[in-house]
Amino acid sequence: MDFLIHLNSKSSRPLRDQIYDGLRHAILDGELATGARLPSSRVLATNLGVSRFTVTDAYNRLLSEGYVAGRHGSGTFVAPSLAAAPIDQHPPIETYLPPAPTRAWSTWSDRAQAVGELSGPAPQQEIDFRHALPDLSHFPHAVWRRLLVRESKQVDLASRYYGHPAGWKELRVALAGYLNRSRSIPCSPEQIIITSGCQEAVDLMTRIWLDRGDIAAVEEPGYPRSRRTFATAAAEIKRVPVDHDGLRVDLLNERAANAKLIYVTPSHHYPTGAVLPLNRRLALLEWARERGALIMEDDYNSEFRYGSRPIPAMAGLDASGSEPGSVVYIGTMSKVLYPSLRLGYLVVPPDMIDRVLMGKEVSNRNAPHLEQATLAAFIAEGHFERHLNRVRKLYAERRRQLITALDEDLGSIAQFDRSISAAGLHLLVGFDLPLSADEIEAKAASVGVHLDSAHGCYEQPPELPSFMIGYASLDEAAMRDGLQRVRRVLAA
Amino acid sequence: MDFLIHLNSKSSRPLRDQIYDGLRHAILDGELATGARLPSSRVLATNLGVSRFTVTDAYNRLLSEGYVAGRHGSGTFVAPSLAAAPIDQHPPIETYLPPAPTRAWSTWSDRAQAVGELSGPAPQQEIDFRHALPDLSHFPHAVWRRLLVRESKQVDLASRYYGHPAGWKELRVALAGYLNRSRSIPCSPEQIIITSGCQEAVDLMTRIWLDRGDIAAVEEPGYPRSRRTFATAAAEIKRVPVDHDGLRVDLLNERAANAKLIYVTPSHHYPTGAVLPLNRRLALLEWARERGALIMEDDYNSEFRYGSRPIPAMAGLDASGSEPGSVVYIGTMSKVLYPSLRLGYLVVPPDMIDRVLMGKEVSNRNAPHLEQATLAAFIAEGHFERHLNRVRKLYAERRRQLITALDEDLGSIAQFDRSISAAGLHLLVGFDLPLSADEIEAKAASVGVHLDSAHGCYEQPPELPSFMIGYASLDEAAMRDGLQRVRRVLAA
């Protein structure tokens, strides 16, 4: 034999497969040329010290896959069928591979690489002030698991086959009830489309609404992921300033006159926490209606208001007028339940439903079933709103504790807007120090504390190095410990 | 009072919320003008027959949301802040709504509407020959549920926070092992990206690879969903004929010379079931490498081969050469487990990983966690391949039963390629009758039988009205019953 088969008796790969591998490579590498005769199974078995059956099994596989052909009584040969392919006129494949081409990526991908940022590994610090982190220890795991098991016993076709692109009907019914009760959005289940979190909701709407060169207005500072999604779609980004009351609606004409889309976080501006007051909401609605622009209302953190009742969503104000609505509402379960659930939803005006459904169908057909069904039961049986009420109290208390701790432990350094509405899972804090945000983050990390920089939200860095300090998943002792560590390392 | 509040004591909405709703609408509708004084809470409570506390609660909510303002000692007024908005110079919102504009959808959405097809409701027939349906009664539900419950007890941050865009690491490790063992694809876990089924895999690769006007070659006939995805991306579609051995690779230069992408189903051509032989695979690889074109290998139904071992995937042949690879491999769990799991995956050449990850990040960040973790354990503990081996035997037997039943019950009518490889979950059958596929489908439905037309796969209708007859989820008695009903109604 002019080729070698290496058998590794310790490999988990069966010997017959190792023989198959060796022969296949010898054929593809040209060591066994077209028409070459393979050793008889008896000879090869003896040479390799394996049973003849092991070898014939490998030969049969090569035969069935067309690598070799058997001529009855005269042995096994490298398949002539390979000779019929153009490839036989050339030396073995590897030798005529062209040099590695530069891949011709799409312009969409080029833009994604240019503006995007891959999720890095999660922080691994002892004390983690990550900004969008709910307290998992207060999630009703046992209740959820009971419902999960119950729903997993549904093995009928409706539960196990492809679903409707809008999502599991019971979930849409449950969400419509919740949105009517708690967010004053008079929507029907038909207007709700289940997505994979907020990101898919933003991307899906972007696909069906924005063309290259269309203008997308965003808040400045603002949520970087949504801005990047619009930029990746080749939209022209116009940044509209935000003040203590959120988006400066009065500057829309000056800064983003022809916007086709405006993305806002009215319940809890990202990252400042400002709440858009009613008069600005109404003015924004009017502005959008007059132009046929779409308002993308990311109702992020609306569930977490601690001072007063939530202001009705813009989608609710919008629906009080006539058709067609100007607001597409985005909700997510990432903060109210947990992020890896990957469930979010869109509420769209009735005339937009068909377009969104088709977009979803092309993107990924529909969301997975089991956790949709579990969430539907979780809402319908009242666990969802009970859970929200419980963690709302918990987070309100933790927010107070954070503010006290900031005052007592970092009083001379930490600056934040004391009049901002008590809401959300984080507080935006500037550090009055001659250090960059990166330097502060690194120093904090050196003493086991993770701080989330807010600078990705800004076009121009804010006056002070600023952080979105999450308080929802830390108890008071951990917060104090963390801030004291930060103070010590910053003083050093 | 010059406005009315309707209270419905039978509504599940609390009275205070009904009062709030009524007042809010009166304000927004202009019945209560800016500066107007609201009745005192005592008066309104008396008028409405509710407690004073109920009314003050509603007033407080309106106050906190900025609809009204309270002047200490002098009552509650419709908020002057509303007067600061441009809206106050106009009559109430509804009266100056512009006529419904024609929505300015994106061209992507326009194309999706033009070429797309929304998933209809699932067939509801008594005997269902749906073509891509695994037998759910043979799924190891108890084992799966045990793993699901175990994994659901992981409540640490790694399991519950946002995940890596590539997916759950343990699942990628398990899949890489499976692909190495069973599909001869020497990939590493890093090359695997978890998607929401095959559809997201195709769409994601399309986004990062195709620009408007790029040429995408597809099989004719071929899988309509992938063709529609390329068309929605504004790619120019070139159809390359398929014969008994799958794609006519020798016609590529003539039919799709400058294709940037070629989509193939080599393991089991959709819909004919043809298997692409080795020499065509090698020629296709060479063709793609020379041009820097990408082969999208949809390895659909590769797990279900009944006659011989699976032919190694093109991704495996490709990897035996040098960098860069030309094959992007697509796998899905929809048929081997069940569709509503919504788990599929891409295996990409190493230099493509970063691009795909960024595309996934923009699209929807990452797949949900729980069922990824469950599937990882299901594969790692050997259940997956045991399940495959079991159903492979079952479906092989059912395929034989279907063929026997076709011969015996529809012999004079049913035409199919008897030499096609025994593989997949359906058989492509033409009906030698002077009827259209729609007519046959309707007749079958009239006797409680669902047949899947294959005509969506063809540019020109096939000679005979043709159906993809699924056999995996029907036992022999049901198949016979179904075919006999069809024969009777077609003879009638």
Side-chain angles (χ1 to χ4, degrees), chain A residues 65 104 106 119 207 260 310 361, chain B residues 104 106 119 207 260 310 361:
Chain A
E65 294 173 358
S106 71
S119 292
R207 294 182 93 173
K260 197 178 167 197
E361 182 97 41
Chain B
S106 72
S119 292
R207 295 182 93 174
K260 199 181 166 197
E361 182 97 40

Side-chain angles (χ1 to χ4, degrees), chain A residues 219-222 227 237-239 455-462:
Chain A
E219 298 163 325
E220 173 57 35
R227 189 183 66 236
I237 306 294
K238 298 284 190 186
R239 299 174 187 242
H455 288 228
C457 305
Y458 291 81
E459 187 171 28
Q460 301 296 331

Side-chain angles (χ1 to χ4, degrees), chain B residues 209-485:
Chain B
W209 192 245
L210 292 184
D211 271 322
R212 172 191 291 265
D214 283 345
I215 296 174
V218 297
E219 297 162 326
E220 172 59 35
Y223 184 50
R225 284 184 176 272
S226 294
R227 190 183 64 237
R228 287 183 208 138
T229 304
F230 308 138
T232 300
E236 189 180 336
I237 306 293
K238 299 284 190 184
R239 299 176 188 241
V240 182
V242 163
D243 66 13
H244 177 80
D245 283 329
L247 185 76
R248 288 283 302 273
V249 176
D250 59 316
L251 292 180
L252 273 173
N253 281 338
E254 183 191 323
R255 303 293 176 93
N258 296 311
K260 199 181 166 197
L261 174 92
I262 172 149
Y263 171 86
V264 280
T265 52
S267 280
H268 186 251
H269 172 256
Y270 190 107
T272 69
V275 178
L276 199 67
L278 184 67
N279 58 343
R280 290 199 187 179
R281 293 183 188 222
L282 295 172
L284 177 55
L285 278 172
E286 185 196 345
W287 187 88
R289 278 177 181 149
E290 281 177 355
R291 284 157 187 78
L294 202 65
I295 298 168
M296 198 183 273
E297 177 180 27
D298 186 345
D299 203 27
Y300 145 82
N301 273 356
S302 64
E303 301 85 356
F304 300 123
R305 276 188 72 72
Y306 314 123
S308 53
R309 291 199 186 213
I311 298 185
M314 296 197 59
L317 297 168
D318 187 45
S320 69
S322 324
E323 293 283 350
S326 305
V327 176
V328 165
Y329 179 92
I330 297 173
T332 175
M333 294 293 151
S334 293
K335 282 97 191 170
V336 292
L337 298 179
Y338 54 90
S340 79
L341 187 59
R342 308 306 304 125
L343 285 177
Y345 53 92
L346 283 161
V347 186
V348 303
D351 70 305
M352 302 191 84
I353 296 171
D354 284 353
R355 292 278 175 154
V356 179
L357 291 184
M358 190 69 86
K360 178 73 179 168
E361 182 97 40
V362 174
S363 302
N364 53 31
R365 298 188 70 152
N366 59 273
H369 165 262
L370 178 59
E371 286 175 314
Q372 286 193 81
T374 304
L375 177 57
F378 191 75
I379 297 174
E381 296 175 15
H383 305 295
F384 181 68
E385 277 150 283
R386 268 198 292 282
H387 170 62
L388 278 183
N389 286 333
R390 264 195 306 262
V391 293
R392 198 181 284 122
K393 283 183 196 125
L394 175 73
Y395 298 162
E397 177 61 21
R398 288 185 170 169
R399 183 183 174 90
R400 283 191 290 271
Q401 291 166 347
L402 174 67
I403 289 175
T404 305
L406 283 168
D407 283 341
E408 294 182 11
D409 295 328
L410 282 174
S412 59
I413 296 171
Q415 310 262 321
F416 54 94
D417 183 345
R418 282 160 200 281
S419 66
I420 208 89
S421 287
L425 305 181
H426 77 263
L427 187 67
L428 182 65
V429 177
F431 281 50
D432 192 3
L433 287 172
L435 293 169
S436 73
D438 287 349
E439 286 165 342
I440 292 172
E441 195 175 322
K443 278 175 183 280
S446 74
V447 291
V449 177
H450 175 76
L451 295 177
D452 266 351
S453 163
H455 288 228
C457 305
Y458 291 80
E459 187 172 27
Q460 300 296 332
E463 276 180 53
L464 298 180
S466 296
F467 296 88
M468 297 165 74
I469 301 198
Y471 47 77
S473 68
L474 292 173
D475 64 23
E476 189 171 17
M479 278 192 238
R480 304 287 310 220
D481 183 8
L483 293 184
Q484 284 162 11
R485 292 189 197 192

